[in-house]
Amino acid sequence: MNRLKLSVTALLLLSLLQLKGQVIERIDPPSWFTGMHDGALQLMVYGKDIGDWEVKTDYPGAEVKTLVRTDNPNYLFVNLNISSEALPGTVRLTFINGKKSMTHDYPLCERPSGPARGFNSSDVIYLLMPDRFANGDPSNDNVPGMTEQLNRSHPGGRHGGDLKGISDHLDYLHDLGVTGIWLNPFLENNQERYSYHGYSTTDFYRSDPRYGSNDEFKQLVSEAHKKGMKVVMDMIFNHIGSFHWWMKDLPSNDWIHQFEKFTRTNYRASTYMDPYAAGSDIMLMEKGWFDITMPDLNQSNPLVETYLIQTSLWWIAYSDLDGIRMDTYPYPEPEMMARWAKRVEEEFPGFFIVGEVWYDSPSQISYWALNKKNSDGYRSYLPSVTDFPVCFATHRAFEGNDNPTEGLSKLYDVLSQDFLYPEPLRNVIFLDNHDMTRYYTQTGTSLEAYKLGLSFIMTTRGIPQIYYGTEIVMEGDKSSGDGYLREEFPGGWADHEKNVVAGKNLTGTEKEALDFTRNILNWRKQKEVIHTGRMKHYIPQDGIYVFFRYNDDESVMVILNTNAKESRTVRKEKYIESMAGFTRGVDVITGQAIEDLTSFKIKPQTAMIIELK
Ligand code: CA
C-alpha cells in the first residue's frame, strides 16, 4: 500500500471513529490471531465515555460474548470468542449507543505454524542491552514525542543503540558461537529520565521508536532464525513506568496497588515460601512498588491478568519469538504467574520462559522450578529459572583466595543440592548479568579466573547465558552505578576507536579472551554430551575440582585448578570410576593431546576440558 492510500485509509478510519467527539483512542491488543488453542480474546477499548456503548460483529467465527465495564467510563472490555473456523481477515466491530453507531476494523492475522523452537541446554544465550550494544541507525537517536534525548556522556542516559545495531551483529554473534540472544526490554519507555534500561514500560504493544519499529523487531527475529539463532524477549508483568499512558486515566481504581503515600516493596521474595511469614510482609512484598517510577500492577484484577497474558501471546505470535525472560518473577501474584506460564505452554508447546528468581539458595530457586512439588501446594509452570546460587558460587570459587579448596567446595555444595530441581538441566546459568558487577571485575580482572569461570559455566549442567562484552572481558563495578555495568560495546558506535567485530585496537588480553570464548562456545555447540550428558563430580581437594560429563558414546573430563602458583598432578586412579577404559585425551582448550592419562599435570589457575578417548 502506498503512502497516499494509507493516509486516505487513515482519514476514513478517523471519520468513522469520530462521531460527535466520540473517539476510540486505542484498542489493545492491536490485532489478534486465528488458530489459537483458546479462542477467548479480551479487547481493552479506550475512548471518552466508551463504557456507555454496546459492541457487536457479524464476522464469521467471531462472537461478542460479554462486555465488562469498570469504575472508569472511558474503558470498555470486550470479551470475544474467535472460533477455530474463523479465517484471517478484518473483523468489523460495530459500536452502538442508542441511535448512534460507529465501526472499527480489527485485524485478525494468521499465527505462526509449527512448534515453538524453545531453548534447552544445547543453547548459549547472549544477553545484551539494546541502548548500549550498537547504534545501527543514528537517525532514531532522538525521536519526536520521546521525552529523554540522547546523552552519551551520562552513564544513565540514552546512548542510541537500537535493533538495527543488533541485526548488524548477527554474523558476529553466530561466529562467536552463541545460539540465541536475549534483549533487555525494548518496549517503549517514555520516561523523563533513566529510561535506557527498559524496565519502565509505557506501552506494552510498542517497540520504543528509539530502537526501531515493531516490524523491525519482527525482522530481527526472522533474520536470527535464518542464521540458526533464536531470540528471547524481556518482559515485565510486575510494574509499569510512571509515564505509562494508563497513569493519566487508570482503567480502574484497583488497576495498580495504591497507598496513601509511596510504599516500597520489601524485596523479600522469600516470604512466599516461608511457612512462618507474616501476612503484612507478604502483602508488602507483592503490592509495594519496586521503585517510585514503577507503579505496581494489581495482577489479582482479572482484567489486568488477561491484559498481561495477552501481551505475551501477542508478541510470541506477532514476532515468532522463541523465548521470554520474565523480570522480577516472584514479585507479582504467584498464582497468576503460574496461570500465565501454563497458558503460554498451552498455546505454544515447548516455548521457553526463564523467570528471574533472585535468591541465594537452591531451595528457594527450586520453589519456582518446573514440576517442583512444594509442600504448600504451589506449582509453577515456569520452564526455567535463573540459577543465582551457581553464579555466586562461581565468584567464590574463582576469584582467588588463600584457601583455593574452600571456594570450590562451596561450588560443589551448591551443585550437590540439584536434587531439589526436577530438571536441573533447565536452569539458566551465568557468571553475571546487567544488574551485577561484571565477572571479570568481580574476580579482580584476572584472565585466568575468567577462563576458569567460563570453562565451568560452559561444561556444567544448564543453559549458559553470557552478558555482552564478557567475551572481551569488559569491566564494570556495581558500586559505581548500574550505568557502568552497561557501557557501549566497543565498535557499536562510529566514533569508537576500538572495534570488536573488526578486531581493531583490541588489547592482547581482550583478543585472548575473545579467542578463548569463541573456541569454547563453538566446541560446545556440537557436544551433545555437554548438552544432555550425565554429570559426576568429585569432592574438591588441593584446590582442584574435577567433574565428568558423559553418555553412552562420549566422556568429557573437566579439571579446574584454582591454586595460585602450584601445578597439580592428576592421577587416573583417583577418578577410575569415570576414567576406566580411557587411555588418551585431547584438551579442548589448548588442542593438545594427552597420550597417557595415568598421570598428568595441570598448571596453576588453569582449566582443562579433556575429551577422553
Ligand atoms: Ca540509534
Side-chain angles (χ1 to χ4, degrees):
M1 201 185 289
N2 62 34
R3 264 162 201 256
L4 182 71
K5 265 191 186 166
L6 256 177
S7 52
V8 170
T9 315
L11 273 175
L12 207 70
L13 260 175
L14 206 66
S15 64
L16 282 170
L17 299 179
Q18 271 180 318
L19 196 89
K20 288 184 184 165
Q22 180 62 50
V23 179
I24 292 177
E25 287 194 28
R26 64 184 286 161
I27 297 186
D28 285 348
S31 60
W32 200 244
F33 307 93
T34 56
M36 298 295 271
H37 171 80
D38 185 338
L41 166 65
Q42 183 173 82
L43 304 179
M44 171 193 267
V45 186
Y46 181 57
K48 191 165 180 344
D49 294 326
I50 195 69
D52 297 341
W53 294 63
E54 303 293 324
V55 187
K56 61 173 197 175
T57 183
D58 50 16
Y59 189 85
E63 188 190 352
V64 176
K65 304 290 277 188
T66 55
L67 300 176
V68 181
R69 296 174 173 92
T70 68
D71 48 39
N72 184 342
N74 297 332
Y75 288 84
L76 182 65
F77 292 85
V78 182
N79 285 320
L80 286 156
N81 187 64
I82 311 294
S83 81
S84 53
E85 276 79 48
L87 297 172
T90 305
V91 178
R92 174 150 291 187
L93 298 169
T94 306
F95 290 79
I96 304 150
N97 185 358
K99 285 179 183 165
K100 294 182 284 184
S101 79
M102 57 181 176
T103 61
H104 178 90
D105 285 344
Y106 188 79
L108 197 56
C109 312
E110 201 166 356
R111 62 170 274 181
S113 54
R117 289 166 199 83
F119 279 78
N120 58 42
S121 48
S122 69
D123 288 298
V124 174
I125 302 170
Y126 189 88
L127 162 63
L128 60 85
M129 187 158 276
D131 184 60
R132 301 300 172 84
F133 186 62
N135 189 358
D137 180 5
S139 78
N140 62 18
D141 291 358
N142 292 310
V143 172
M146 294 293 111
T147 314
E148 195 178 5
Q149 304 280 300
L150 188 79
N151 182 1
R152 286 176 63 198
S153 62
H154 181 17
R158 296 201 73 103
H159 285 220
D162 46 41
L163 297 171
K164 173 75 165 49
I166 302 168
S167 281
D168 292 345
H169 280 74
L170 287 177
D171 284 332
Y172 163 76
L173 294 171
H174 185 260
D175 290 346
L176 184 63
V178 303
T179 64
I181 48 174
W182 153 24
L183 281 60
N184 287 123
F186 65 90
L187 294 184
E188 186 197 274
N189 269 232
N190 199 6
Q191 296 286 108
E192 278 180 329
R193 60 184 72 85
Y194 199 60
S195 67
Y196 76 93
H197 55 71
Y199 288 95
S200 304
T201 314
T202 55
D203 188 333
F204 279 101
Y205 285 103
R206 186 189 192 205
S207 168
D208 195 297
R210 290 163 290 192
Y211 298 138
S213 63
N214 286 2
D215 194 49
E216 276 181 84
F217 177 69
K218 189 176 174 170
Q219 283 172 33
L220 171 65
V221 177
S222 161
E223 283 164 35
H225 288 169
K226 280 182 207 149
K227 295 181 199 297
M229 290 191 287
K230 297 171 282 192
V231 177
V232 179
M233 181 171 168
D234 207 322
M235 289 189 185
I236 312 109
F237 280 3
N238 181 60
H239 51 261
I240 51 177
S242 49
F243 285 82
H244 189 287
W245 62 272
W246 286 333
M247 294 305 289
K248 285 185 209 141
D249 193 15
L250 281 174
S252 65
N253 260 327
D254 65 349
W255 198 258
I256 56 172
H257 292 122
Q258 308 203 59
F259 300 86
E260 295 266 316
K261 57 179 184 162
F262 173 68
T263 302
R264 198 180 278 281
T265 174
N266 52 24
Y267 306 101
R268 287 296 185 96
S270 59
T271 51
Y272 284 131
M273 66 275 270
D274 177 353
Y276 314 120
S280 56
D281 288 336
I282 300 172
M283 187 285 293
L284 203 57
M285 168 61 204
E286 188 206 322
K287 298 182 178 165
W289 289 23
F290 202 80
D291 200 356
I292 198 156
T293 56
M294 293 174 169
D296 198 76
L297 289 170
N298 175 15
Q299 296 86 11
S300 301
N301 178 333
L303 297 172
V304 176
E305 169 171 348
T306 303
Y307 187 95
L308 293 172
I309 291 176
Q310 287 183 170
T311 62
S312 67
L313 300 177
W314 188 86
W315 278 103
I316 299 168
Y318 168 78
S319 66
D320 200 12
L321 197 62
D322 308 297
I324 290 172
R325 179 265 187 187
M326 180 54 73
D327 185 60
T328 47
Y329 194 82
Y331 286 75
E333 203 276 307
E335 294 296 340
M336 180 263 158
M337 294 307 274
R339 286 194 294 276
W340 165 65
K342 193 162 178 265
R343 175 78 199 277
V344 172
E345 172 62 24
E346 278 165 7
E347 287 294 351
F348 302 95
F351 187 84
F352 175 75
I353 304 173
V354 55
E356 182 204 24
V357 286
W358 191 319
Y359 301 91
D360 289 347
S361 109
S363 61
Q364 293 167 317
I365 302 278
S366 66
Y367 182 81
W368 307 93
L370 189 71
N371 298 325
K372 173 75 180 188
K373 287 193 175 73
N374 291 308
S375 58
D376 64 3
Y378 182 73
R379 185 173 173 196
S380 158
Y381 290 85
L382 192 57
S384 175
V385 289
T386 50
D387 201 333
F388 279 92
V390 161
C391 172
F392 299 138
T394 59
H395 299 175
R396 288 192 292 262
F398 305 125
E399 65 196 357
N401 48 50
D402 296 341
N403 182 349
T405 309
E406 199 180 305
L408 289 176
S409 293
K410 284 178 183 156
L411 183 60
Y412 173 91
D413 284 346
V414 166
L415 287 168
S416 72
Q417 295 170 64
D418 268 8
F419 63 86
L420 291 162
Y421 301 105
E423 296 174 77
L425 279 179
R426 289 179 171 274
N427 290 13
V428 167
I429 49 176
F430 48 96
L431 298 168
D432 59 13
N433 65 29
H434 60 289
D435 286 325
M436 307 170 78
T437 291
R438 281 183 176 270
Y439 175 75
Y440 184 60
T441 303
Q442 180 74 35
T443 57
T445 63
S446 153
L447 187 61
E448 287 73 31
Y450 173 72
K451 290 179 178 178
L452 282 163
L454 197 75
S455 300
F456 169 73
I457 222 82
M458 290 299 158
T459 51
T460 189
R461 94 297 187 266
I463 309 169
Q465 165 250 300
I466 59 171
Y467 184 41
Y468 80 95
T470 295
E471 68 271 35
I472 51 150
V473 289
M474 269 173 79
E475 293 179 49
D477 194 334
K478 178 98 175 164
S479 64
S480 309
D482 282 351
Y484 292 95
L485 313 175
R486 307 157 180 179
E487 291 189 319
E488 294 173 3
F489 184 70
W493 277 251
D495 59 2
H496 285 173
E497 301 204 334
K498 189 180 286 183
N499 187 313
V500 180
V501 177
K504 203 177 118 197
N505 293 333
L506 295 181
T507 66
T509 303
E510 289 167 340
K511 266 187 210 152
E512 196 176 332
L514 184 58
D515 287 344
F516 184 87
T517 310
R518 198 180 274 137
N519 179 32
I520 201 166
L521 263 60
N522 279 288
W523 168 79
R524 188 189 191 280
K525 223 184 220 182
Q526 317 299 333
K527 282 289 148 189
E528 207 185 316
V529 66
I530 301 295
H531 308 160
T532 57
R534 280 165 284 170
M535 187 156 91
K536 184 169 288 187
H537 64 174
Y538 292 77
I539 297 168
Q541 215 175 358
D542 300 330
I544 290 200
Y545 176 45
V546 175
F547 63 93
F548 294 80
R549 300 297 307 275
Y550 61 104
N551 58 24
D552 292 345
D553 305 319
E554 278 188 282
S555 190
V556 172
M557 178 183 198
V558 181
I559 315 166
L560 305 166
N561 179 6
T562 61
N563 286 287
K565 296 200 174 73
E566 293 144 63
S567 292
R568 289 280 185 243
T569 302
V570 179
R571 294 181 206 286
K572 181 178 177 181
E573 201 186 331
K574 181 171 164 56
Y575 310 104
I576 195 68
E577 65 176 274
S578 301
M579 295 179 79
F582 296 106
T583 54
R584 314 180 289 115
V586 175
D587 182 0
V588 172
I589 294 171
T590 59
Q592 279 172 357
I594 300 163
E595 293 302 340
D596 185 1
L597 288 174
T598 314
S599 150
F600 57 96
K601 291 231 164 187
I602 179 164
K603 290 179 196 152
Q605 287 279 299
T606 298
M608 292 176 90
I609 302 173
I610 305 169
E611 288 186 14
L612 299 179
K613 309 283 180 191

